[in-house]
């Protein structure tokens, strides 16, 4: 078992498959095997050899439960301490943020029998109507709202363009939250309480965007989740939607030193839902995708199959510990 970048040789291109949350424990109902080992994946075995002989890697410091963005940083050798908040990363996935602006994760909650639920059971159309109605109804700080984008039935991101020059990546330390940003959020909360008392607006993970990291690479990330899209925008990678055609083109055109990363988010989704056999199904679906990609992979390309973290079907949560690592040089 080791910890460090899986991109080891800059003289060749790399194709990195990350089965999101694939790491797991062994289950009695799977004959005491993990979902990855149990899954029927003939193409994985043909390319990488026996899964039982896989190496093991830590994607974060021992004892740390990594998020997806931290786990991916561990895999590609980026210091996760350089990252802005998740609010900034998710906002970057949808909005071209100005330097010094603040990104915030937002969601609409709902009171059900007097108990606050963090996920309102409403349509995306209703969610968008409520948020835009609230924004159009505020007065003192509306001009500071640079952009708002929706990505779920109850979730959206907010970019606030401040006039304060940030000194750190901490909005509280820079005085942004108590002044300009807090004014925007406070006014939105008050308007929402008056107009939609059963649907409170909730805000978290605010952070300052200080610009993308400089890069000279020509790396490409095929990712779907907002936080990973924002992560790779921040790292200066090309971010593409996950389509077989685009993956084939990137793989075929990759030059020495380039990294093509393909994230399979559905494995993690099934894990969070504690759907053990659904997780196995998604791993097996990846095996078919691998078979479709293989004819376009140059002989010189180094292929890696691993995960960014463990997500246990037993709990539905991320967990500490190693994940499998398979390499074909």
């Amino acid at each position: 078992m080791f910890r460090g970048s899986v991109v080891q040789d800059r003289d060749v291109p790399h194709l990195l498959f990350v089965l999101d949350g694939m790491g797991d424990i062994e289950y009695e109902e799977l004959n005491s095997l993990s979902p990855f080992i149990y899954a029927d994946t003939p193409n994985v075995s043909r390319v990488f050899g026996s899964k039982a002989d896989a190496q093991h890697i830590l994607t974060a410091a021992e004892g740390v439960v990594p998020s997806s963005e931290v786990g991916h940083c561990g895999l590609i050798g980026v210091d996760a301490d350089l990252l802005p908040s998740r609010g900034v990363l998710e906002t970057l996935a949808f909005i071209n943020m100005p330097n010094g602006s603040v990104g915030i994760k937002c969601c609409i909650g709902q009171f059900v029998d007097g108990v606050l639920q963090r996920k309102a059971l409403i349509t995306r159309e209703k969610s968008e109507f409520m948020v835009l109605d609230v924004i159009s109804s505020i007065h003192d700080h509306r001009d500071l709202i640079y952009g708002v984008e929706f990505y779920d039935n109850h979730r959206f991101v907010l970019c606030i363009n401040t006039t304060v020059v940030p000194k750190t990546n901490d909005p509280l330390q820079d005085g942004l939250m108590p002044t300009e940003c807090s004014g925007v959020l406070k006014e939105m909360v008050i308007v929402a309480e008056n107009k939609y008392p059963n649907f409170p607006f909730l805000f978290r993970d605010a952070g300052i965007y200080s610009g993308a990291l400089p890069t000279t690479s020509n790396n490409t990330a095929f990712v779907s989740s907002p936080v990973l899209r924002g992560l790779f925008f921040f790292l200066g990678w090309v971010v593409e939607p996950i389509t077989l055609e685009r993956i084939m083109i990137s793989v075929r055109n990759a030059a020495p030193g380039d990294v093509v990363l393909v994230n399979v988010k559905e494995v993690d989704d099934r894990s969070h839902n504690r759907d053990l056999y659904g997780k196995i199904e998604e791993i097996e679906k990846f095996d078919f995708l691998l078979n479709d990609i293989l004819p376009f992979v140059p002989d010189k390309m180094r292929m890696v199959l691993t995960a960014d973290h463990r997500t246990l079907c037993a709990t539905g949560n991320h967990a500490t510990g190693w994940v499998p690592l398979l390499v074909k040089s």
Side-chain angles (χ1 to χ4, degrees):
M1 181 171 65
F2 75 98
R3 181 184 174 211
S5 173
V6 299
V7 183
Q8 298 286 337
D9 185 355
R10 286 295 181 179
D11 293 330
V12 298
H14 283 66
L15 175 56
L16 176 54
F17 296 108
V18 182
L19 304 192
D20 207 301
M22 178 259 285
D24 211 322
I25 58 176
E26 297 172 349
Y27 294 90
E28 184 177 350
E29 57 265 50
L30 302 182
N31 300 322
S32 297
L33 300 174
S34 70
F36 179 59
I37 298 296
Y38 184 86
D40 182 18
T41 52
N43 296 304
V44 168
S45 299
R46 175 165 60 93
V47 174
F48 296 99
S50 172
K51 292 184 290 184
D53 296 331
Q55 303 176 63
H56 299 145
I57 183 173
L58 286 171
T59 60
E62 192 166 358
V64 171
V65 179
S67 61
S68 286
E69 63 270 31
V70 169
H72 278 77
C73 284
L75 291 174
I76 60 177
V78 172
D79 184 357
D81 289 339
L82 298 175
L83 300 183
S85 73
R86 180 169 271 214
V88 168
L89 293 180
E90 294 202 6
T91 303
L92 272 176
F94 304 100
I95 298 173
N96 186 17
M97 297 177 65
N99 287 2
S101 62
V102 173
I104 307 173
K105 285 178 61 177
C106 317
C107 69
I108 300 176
Q110 182 175 2
F111 285 106
V112 179
D113 297 328
V115 178
L116 175 61
Q117 308 293 325
R118 297 189 63 85
K119 298 180 180 180
L121 300 177
I122 55 178
T123 64
R124 177 163 175 164
E125 289 74 18
K126 182 173 182 178
S127 173
E128 293 186 14
F129 174 83
M130 290 167 56
V131 172
L132 296 177
D133 182 38
V134 166
I135 289 175
S136 67
S137 300
I138 66 175
H139 302 288
D140 296 338
H141 303 91
R142 183 170 32 177
D143 59 333
L144 294 178
I145 297 179
Y146 181 81
V148 58
E149 289 290 338
F150 305 84
Y151 63 97
D152 208 337
N153 284 12
H154 66 284
R155 292 185 291 185
F156 60 100
V157 292
L158 192 66
C159 180
I160 299 175
N161 201 3
T162 69
T163 59
V164 178
V165 178
K167 297 182 178 64
T168 73
N169 191 39
D170 183 352
L172 291 174
Q173 185 173 332
D174 280 320
L176 294 174
M177 291 305 294
T179 53
E180 294 176 301
C181 286
S182 64
V184 174
L185 303 184
K186 183 177 180 181
E187 196 168 3
M188 287 183 67
V189 167
I190 292 174
V191 172
E193 286 179 347
N194 289 332
K195 288 198 164 194
Y196 308 103
N198 285 328
F199 298 96
F201 283 22
L202 310 171
F203 305 99
R204 58 180 294 192
D205 295 339
I208 301 168
Y209 178 59
S210 301
L213 293 182
T215 181
T216 58
S217 67
N218 188 31
N219 300 330
T220 304
F222 292 88
V223 293
S224 59
S225 72
V227 67
L228 291 182
R229 286 174 52 82
L231 168 67
F232 287 105
F233 278 132
F234 177 73
L235 296 180
W237 289 40
V238 175
V239 179
E240 294 269 17
I242 302 175
T243 67
L244 182 59
E245 180 182 7
R246 295 303 304 169
I247 294 173
M248 288 175 177
I249 293 172
S250 292
V251 167
R252 191 168 50 211
N253 295 334
D258 291 350
V259 180
V260 178
L261 183 148
V262 179
N263 173 272
V264 182
K265 183 68 174 69
E266 291 80 5
V267 177
D268 191 54
D269 293 338
R270 295 295 190 105
S271 305
H272 281 299
N273 290 334
R274 305 180 67 176
D275 182 357
L276 180 59
Y277 290 98
K279 181 172 190 171
I280 293 169
E281 179 184 352
E282 295 300 338
I283 294 171
E284 292 175 347
K285 284 182 182 178
F286 163 75
D287 194 67
F288 288 106
L289 174 64
L290 175 63
N291 188 59
D292 290 337
I293 295 172
L294 284 175
F296 300 88
V297 178
D299 292 339
K300 63 182 180 179
M301 181 166 258
R302 185 172 187 261
M303 290 195 292
V304 178
L305 172 59
T306 188
D308 52 344
H309 56 74
R310 286 182 163 195
T311 304
L312 307 186
C313 288
T315 64
N317 297 322
H318 291 199
T320 61
W322 55 263
V323 295
L325 172 67
L326 293 167
V327 179
K328 180 182 183 300
S329 298

